[in-house]
């Protein structure tokens, strides 16, 4: 049997897209492998959100030149956001590339495979998800225009998938062994359908047989409203954790980023979520071109106020075609210094958030025999071994850095 190796860069949307592309390839006779050396097909699903992400994908593609030479009949598919941005011109630099499939082409991936003449016809069957989390994409694209961000130009405008399809997919994943469903979209909570809100959808997914927990990523602060909070706060199956990218704590920088909220409105939403028991994590950018020392201090103080349990921190990276790319860059040294300070702060807050869980009773959804996650997204280690996918209720005995130890 031919073997498929997948390398995925970028966000959860890309992970879900990789799963979707893999399913089409499994139906065409491939089996997955983690070992590139034994693979016949390499699928590289790429990200272009920062220059570094794109660079990693392209250097991996460079390495595949030699890999392809080593064995007759090997093929390479280059997919995702960098593929979308660079398009067919990639084949000039990388003539050994067989197929380019941009992120927006995901719905046509099967016909791309069939038209290439490189693959056999699809046989029936359903791919089995691995892991306890079933990813379900509910919307694609983004209608915002954050001045630093390339995503709207590579992923296109918002397209919401029909709730009937979303529910069918979530039900199928739950049936095939995923007690946790993660709904995905670039601004996932912008999802809507005639007469139905995102909160309605969350409640419906959580009511499907076999679903124990529902998560979603990435929500935009604009759609965290009192109506949303009221609709989800009494449903315990909706995870008590929200990954809410805030980017900056300075109203001035937020305005220049065109994020559509101020520090004050953001803090109101953060407080409302915390009052309802939601733990929060976030994304932050340091060194946006107009960010002063005082703006950066405001980010630090917002992070402190919010008490994020985790944060992904990025150095600002200029992306071609975005408005911010016209602005003068800050010196790299300043970006590095600020990133360092922020990472330190975030590490301290994460440890404090873990330490604050000691003594509380938690429900841990097991992802391996001894490890799982709580509803508010803390990692926990159990004393005894349990079946993967079951929920273990236990008091937290201690915390070690960013791992909770249960007393079970
Ligand atoms: N749609 C999500 C996040 C999309 S991209 C949202 O709006 O929140 C994931 C993260 O990458 C962003 O939250 C942001 O922190 C970061 N990012 C996006 N563009 C960037 C850039 N040009 N430089 C550095 N980080 C960037
Ligand atoms: Fe990019 Fe902003 Fe859209 Fe997020 S909301 S994908 S940061 S443009
Ligand atoms: Fe990257 Fe595309 Fe996701 S640019 S962050 S993989 S939407």
């Amino acid at each position: 049997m031919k073997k498929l190796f997948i390398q995925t860069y970028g966000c959860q949307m890309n992970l879900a897209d990789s799963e979707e592309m893999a399913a089409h390839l499994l139906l065409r006779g491939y089996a997955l492998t983690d070992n590139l050396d034994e693979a016949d097909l390499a699928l590289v699903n790429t990200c272009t959100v920062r220059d570094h992400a794109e660079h990693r994908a392209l250097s991996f593609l460079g390495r595949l030149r030699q890999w392809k030479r080593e064995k007759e009949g090997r093929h390479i598919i280059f997919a995702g956001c960098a593929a979308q941005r660079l398009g067919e011109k990639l084949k000039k630099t990388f003539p050994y590339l067989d197929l380019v499939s941009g992120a927006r082409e995901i719905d046509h991936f099967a016909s791309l495979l069939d038209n290439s003449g490189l693959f056999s016809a699809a046989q029936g069957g359903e791919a089995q998800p691995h892991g306890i989390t079933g990813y379900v994409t509910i919307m694609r694209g983004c209608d915002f225009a954050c001045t630093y961000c390339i995503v709207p130009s590579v992923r296109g405008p918002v397209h919401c998938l029909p709730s009937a399809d979303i529910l069918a997919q979530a039900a199928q994943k739950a049936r095939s062994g995923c007690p946790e469903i993660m709904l995905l979209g670039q601004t996932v909570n912008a999802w809507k359908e005639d007469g139905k809100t995102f909160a309605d959808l969350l409640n419906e997914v959580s009511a499907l047989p076999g679903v124990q927990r529902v998560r979603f990523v990435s929500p935009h602060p604009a759609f965290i409203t009192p109506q949303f909070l009221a609709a989800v706060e009494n449903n315990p199956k909706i995870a008590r954790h929200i990954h809410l990218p805030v980017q900056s704590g300075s109203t001035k920088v937020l305005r220049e980023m065109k994020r559509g909220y101020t520090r004050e409105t953001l803090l109101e939403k953060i407080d409302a979520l915390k009052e309802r028991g939601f733990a929060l994590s976030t994304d932050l950018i340091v060194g946006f071109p107009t960010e002063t020392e005082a703006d950066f201090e405001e980010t630090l103080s917002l992070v402190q106020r919010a008490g994020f349990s985790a944060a992904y921190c990025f150095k600002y990276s200029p992306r071609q075609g975005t408005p911010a790319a016209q602005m003068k860059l800050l010196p790299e040294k300043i970006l590095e210094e600020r990133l360092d300070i922020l990472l330190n702060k975030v590490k301290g807050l994460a440890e404090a958030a873990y330490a604050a869980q000691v003594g509380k009773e938690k429900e841990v959804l097991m992802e391996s025999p001894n490890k799982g996650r709580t509803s508010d997204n803390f990692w926990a280690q159990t004393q005894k071994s349990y079946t993967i996918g079951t929920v273990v209720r236990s008091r937290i005995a201690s915390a070690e850095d960013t791992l909770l130890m249960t007393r079970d």
Side-chain angles (χ1 to χ4, degrees), residues 4 38 40 60 100 136 199 202 208 256 280 283 348 386:
L4 163 66
E38 64 171 31
D40 304 280
F60 184 69
V100 178
V136 180
L202 281 175
L208 293 169
E256 284 154 358
L280 294 171
D283 291 348
Y386 298 92

Side-chain angles (χ1 to χ4, degrees), residues 12-13 25 53 65 96 121-122 127 178 194 196 218 224 240 248-249 253 258 298 312 317 323 335 341 344 360 387 402:
Q12 261 120 342
M13 263 70 71
L25 288 160
R65 178 195 298 267
Y96 52 95
C178 297
D194 288 345
K196 217 176 250 190
S218 288
I224 304 286
R240 297 293 104 164
S248 169
V253 172
K258 283 218 167 90
E298 290 213 62
Y312 296 102
S317 166
L335 268 65
I341 295 169
N344 245 316
K360 291 187 185 167
T387 310
T402 50

Side-chain angles (χ1 to χ4, degrees), residues 49-50 148 186 245 247 259 283 285 314-315 317 319:
V49 79
R50 285 168 294 277
Y148 53 83
Q186 271 306 342
Q247 317 300 359
R259 285 293 291 176
D283 291 348
I285 298 176
F314 306 108
K315 281 194 288 188
S317 166
R319 305 306 290 132

Side-chain angles (χ1 to χ4, degrees), residues 249-314:
S250 149
T251 295
K252 184 201 95 192
V253 172
L254 289 168
R255 193 186 327 116
E256 284 154 358
M257 288 176 161
K258 283 218 167 90
R259 285 293 291 176
Y261 50 83
T262 62
R263 175 187 177 88
E264 288 67 36
T265 54
L266 189 58
L267 279 170
E268 274 168 28
K269 292 180 187 204
I270 289 173
D271 288 344
L273 285 164
K274 283 170 65 181
E275 275 160 27
R276 287 162 180 80
F278 286 92
L280 294 171
S281 59
T282 195
D283 291 348
L284 296 158
I285 298 176
V286 297
F288 185 77
T290 58
E291 185 187 77
T292 62
E293 203 56 45
D295 294 322
F296 176 61
E297 290 292 333
E298 290 213 62
T299 296
L300 291 177
S301 74
L302 180 115
V303 165
Q304 178 75 38
R305 241 311 280 284
F308 294 115
S309 58
Y312 296 102
C313 306
F314 306 108

